[in-house]
Amino acid sequence: MLKSFLLLTVAVLTGISPALASPPGLVIHKDHDPDVLWKLVHGRCARGLKPCTVYDETHGFALLHSIEGRGQYLLIPTEKVTGMESAVLLRPEQPNYFAEAWAYRERVGQDYHRSIPESELSLAINSAHGRSQNQLHIHLDCIDVRMRALLDRNTASIGPSWSYLPESFNNHHYRALYLATMNGSPFRILAANLAHPEEEMGNHTLIVTPLGTGYVLLDDVVGGDDRASGEEIQDHRCQGRGN
């Protein structure tokens, strides 16, 4: 996740050509810079410099176009927010970052020069164990056709209370919750269901995608070889069912 994007961002920060920054097939090692996104948003975008597509200080977010996937965007807070484990996300006055990201969903299709149905789009944030950067970022991109089909097959079992999907995805067992609107913060919705959110949130991943006339909120938790990377349900090549 993000390895191609990191090549570009490191290049932007250092002035090195992306083609020269690292050989193809780069693997991000533990000593990579986990603060690249924060340095871009805080150090460059805040001063009106590239590479942000949008920098909205009033609403507290920036939008970056990732080079991993033709139409993938990253929604990033303009303040320092580490990730899922950040207590600041549970404050009532905090921006609804998922709703802000969803407002830019049409940009995905624009980059492909075609209309992409909302049902084929998704938002995802990885757990603290399944991410490469220590600045909150929500991935906006297409949904994997396998997950879309799984959700469509099991729509009847997804309701207003958390329940596990009858089928796993990549051997990972997701919980699902139906949302009528995007008005509520997914972070606060998840926290309300945890016994100790201040300790548990960082182990979770969250995904939002349309379902029926509303949306489904998906949750997975770290365990065994599952790092709870909700980004796994996305398709960065955007090969939808109609393509």
Side-chain angles (χ1 to χ4, degrees), residues 21-176:
S22 183
L26 170 74
V27 175
I28 300 175
H29 298 289
K30 63 182 180 181
D31 58 348
H32 80 276
D33 185 355
D35 294 314
V36 168
L37 288 181
W38 172 244
K39 290 175 181 177
L40 283 173
V41 171
H42 179 68
R44 296 186 60 84
C45 299
R47 295 188 288 128
L49 303 174
K50 293 181 180 181
C52 288
T53 302
V54 174
Y55 184 84
D56 189 334
E57 187 172 11
T58 300
H59 294 94
F61 69 87
L63 190 73
L64 272 67
H65 186 193
S66 174
I67 63 169
E68 183 181 6
R70 182 173 168 184
Q72 183 186 184
Y73 286 84
L74 305 177
L75 190 289
I76 305 167
T78 55
E79 66 173 310
K80 185 60 177 168
V81 181
T82 307
M84 283 290 299
E85 70 276 26
S86 300
V88 67
L89 296 173
L90 306 184
R91 297 174 183 171
E93 69 274 13
Q94 200 69 9
N96 185 343
Y97 294 118
F98 274 86
E100 297 287 6
W102 190 245
Y104 289 94
R105 60 194 178 278
E106 291 186 358
R107 287 180 177 263
V108 179
Q110 290 171 2
D111 287 343
Y112 283 94
H113 304 293
R114 60 182 173 84
S115 176
I116 297 178
E118 290 188 1
S119 62
E120 296 183 15
L121 298 174
S122 62
L123 301 170
I125 182 171
N126 299 324
S127 74
H129 304 270
R131 68 179 189 232
S132 61
Q133 289 288 293
N134 289 333
Q135 174 65 10
L136 185 148
H137 52 286
I138 295 175
H139 300 257
L140 166 62
D141 208 349
C142 292
I143 190 170
D144 188 301
V145 293
R146 297 172 299 151
M147 177 54 89
R148 182 71 263 170
L150 187 160
L151 293 172
D152 290 344
R153 285 194 301 271
N154 295 286
T155 297
S157 67
I158 300 173
S161 297
W162 285 106
S163 62
Y164 281 94
L165 292 173
E167 306 173 56
S168 65
F169 183 83
N170 290 347
N171 293 319
H172 299 155
H173 299 279
Y174 284 89
R175 295 194 304 164

Side-chain angles (χ1 to χ4, degrees), residues 1-2 84 123-133 137 139 144 146-147 169-170 172-174 202-207 218-223 225-236:
M1 310 136 205
L2 281 181
M84 283 290 299
L123 301 170
I125 182 171
N126 299 324
S127 74
H129 304 270
R131 68 179 189 232
S132 61
Q133 289 288 293
H137 52 286
H139 300 257
D144 188 301
R146 297 172 299 151
M147 177 54 89
F169 183 83
N170 290 347
H172 299 155
H173 299 279
Y174 284 89
N203 293 326
H204 288 257
T205 182
L206 288 173
I207 298 157
L218 299 176
D219 163 48
D220 184 28
V221 64
V222 172
D225 62 355
D226 185 354
R227 297 189 302 159
S229 295
E231 189 188 353
E232 70 172 348
I233 68 92
Q234 292 186 319
D235 174 13
H236 295 319

